């Protein structure tokens, strides 16, 4: 039964709509500290509506993760990227630029191709305490590294590192949700609760980095990078830690690499685009970093 495929595809447009609404709200926030941004966002109705929409999509995604392999479910979330770019342009009352469309469809085509190439079946995932400690420690180090690099950069590079940090955090969240959801369905035990607790922590980290990336004004780049880093992280964890399978043939693995190359090309195109600004900036104002101290 592949109802989890339906759930994954149905959840992607909801997450995309929520992301576009959240980005529009974040763009209008004052230049607050990295952590204090969320405090201002929760008082904005548009951001709350976007969060509620994202939550509905996330529930569909969790249903899919509880029943299907990470290597398939995570790339399916990419199908919402073109919708998110169109919605963001409509909310901002502007036309979609050619570069945005080329980049988003390249990213989508690359990751959807993975759906056709990667195996759809997987064994029940398990995660012991030692593996969980190594996984969480390694990914936390990577996330802190992206925060450090974002703090030292501006513009597209700043948005890129923030989105990478968010995508890595969400990828770990997806992997832990896959373990916790599958365990809860088959055999409810005490291990479910600490796995879910860790998942919540990484979800919160992903949200924090995501909203700060949106505040840079580079929505297409931020959302695309997040949706690339997320499935790549989740799929690597699925293969390395949870023993999910890669294609058996050499030709299929070459196809996987080609799909990844197309995806990266789309992100590069989005990286080179200039952000959309809601109001003209002061001509003499120097560039500022988007990641500031609390």
């Amino acid at each position: 039964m592949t109802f989890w495929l339906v759930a994954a595809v149905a959840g992607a447009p909801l997450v995309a709509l929520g992301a576009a609404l959240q980005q529009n709200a974040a763009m209008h926030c004052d230049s607050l500290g990295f952590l204090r941004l969320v405090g201002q966002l929760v008082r904005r109705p548009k951001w709350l509506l976007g969060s509620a929409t994202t939550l509905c999509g996330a529930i569909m995604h969790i249903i899919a993760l509880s029943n299907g392999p990470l290597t398939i479910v995570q790339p399916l979330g990419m199908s919402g990227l073109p919708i998110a770019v169109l919605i963001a342009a409509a909310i901002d009352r502007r036309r979609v630029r050619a570069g945005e469309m080329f980049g988003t469809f390249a990213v989508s085509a690359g990751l959807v191709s993975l759906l056709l190439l990667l195996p759809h079946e997987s064994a029940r995932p398990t995660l012991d305490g030692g593996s969980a400690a190594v996984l969480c420690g390694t990914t936390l180090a990577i996330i802190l590294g992206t925060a450090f690099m974002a703090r030292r950069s501006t513009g597209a590079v700043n948005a890129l590192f923030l989105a990478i940090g968010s995508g890595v955090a969400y990828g770990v969240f997806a992997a832990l949700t896959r373990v916790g959801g599958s365990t809860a369905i088959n055999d409810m035990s005490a291990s479910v609760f600490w796995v879910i607790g860790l998942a919540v922590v990484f979800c919160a980290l992903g949200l924090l980095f995501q909203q700060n990336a949106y505040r840079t004004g580079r929505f297409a780049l931020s959302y695309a990078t997040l949706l690339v880093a997320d499935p790549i992280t989740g799929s690597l964890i699925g293969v390395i830690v949870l023993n999910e399978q890669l294609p058996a043939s050499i030709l299929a693995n070459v196809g996987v690499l080609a799909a990844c190359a197309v995806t990266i090309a789309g992100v590069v195109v989005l990286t080179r685009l200039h952000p959309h600004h809601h109001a003209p900036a002061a001509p003499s104002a120097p560039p500022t970093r988007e990641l500031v101290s609390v």
Side-chain angles (χ1 to χ4, degrees):
M1 182 65 178
T2 56
F3 72 93
W4 54 268
L5 282 173
V6 178
V9 173
L14 293 175
V15 173
L17 173 59
L21 291 170
Q22 287 178 331
Q23 184 268 346
N24 184 265
M27 276 288 295
H28 290 88
C29 285
D30 299 329
S31 182
L32 298 176
F34 188 58
L35 295 172
R36 287 179 291 173
L37 172 64
V38 177
Q40 188 179 44
L41 286 173
V42 296
R43 297 194 293 270
R44 292 181 175 269
K46 186 176 290 186
W47 188 85
L48 293 174
L49 176 61
S51 298
T53 306
T54 300
L55 178 61
C56 293
I59 291 173
M60 302 294 287
H61 195 68
I62 289 172
I63 292 173
L65 284 171
S66 299
N67 296 274
L70 278 167
T71 50
I72 295 296
V73 175
Q74 289 304 94
L76 277 176
M78 194 63 239
S79 61
L81 177 57
I83 298 173
V85 172
L86 291 172
I87 292 172
I91 292 175
D92 292 336
R93 298 180 181 179
R94 62 177 176 85
R95 293 183 178 180
V96 179
R97 291 171 287 180
E100 287 178 318
M101 292 306 300
F102 178 82
T104 54
F105 279 111
V107 172
S108 299
L111 288 183
V112 169
S113 296
L114 295 177
L115 172 64
L116 305 175
L117 295 169
L118 292 170
H120 288 205
E121 302 296 332
S122 67
R124 176 185 166 188
T126 59
L127 184 67
D128 57 53
S131 298
V134 172
L135 172 62
C136 294
T138 302
T139 50
L140 280 175
I142 294 172
I143 292 170
L144 289 175
T146 62
F148 175 77
M149 294 303 297
R151 184 179 178 83
R152 295 174 60 87
S153 58
T154 59
V157 178
N158 178 268
L160 182 68
F161 278 113
L162 288 170
I164 290 173
S166 178
V168 170
Y170 280 139
V172 179
F173 164 73
L176 293 171
T177 301
R178 166 80 174 126
V179 174
S182 178
T183 303
I185 290 174
N186 294 280
D187 181 25
M188 192 69 174
S189 62
S191 64
V192 171
F193 299 103
W194 65 261
V195 170
I196 292 177
L198 288 173
V200 170
V201 171
F202 280 98
C203 182
L205 283 172
L207 176 65
L208 184 62
F209 276 73
Q210 179 185 25
Q211 300 310 313
N212 277 274
Y214 287 167
R215 189 174 53 170
T216 66
R218 299 175 184 270
F219 177 67
L221 167 63
S222 299
Y223 194 58
T225 303
L226 189 160
L227 288 185
V228 170
D230 180 352
I232 288 177
T233 301
S235 297
L236 285 175
I237 295 172
V239 172
I240 297 172
V241 181
L242 304 182
N243 297 317
E244 294 186 354
Q245 300 300 310
L246 288 173
S249 70
I250 296 177
L251 184 61
N253 281 287
V254 171
V256 169
L257 293 176
C260 291
V262 171
T263 301
I264 293 171
V267 174
V268 171
V269 170
L270 294 172
T271 304
R272 297 174 65 88
L273 294 176
H274 294 290
H276 170 74
H277 296 286
H278 294 270
S284 60
T288 58
R289 291 185 174 91
E290 302 299 336
L291 178 58
V292 296
S293 59
V294 180

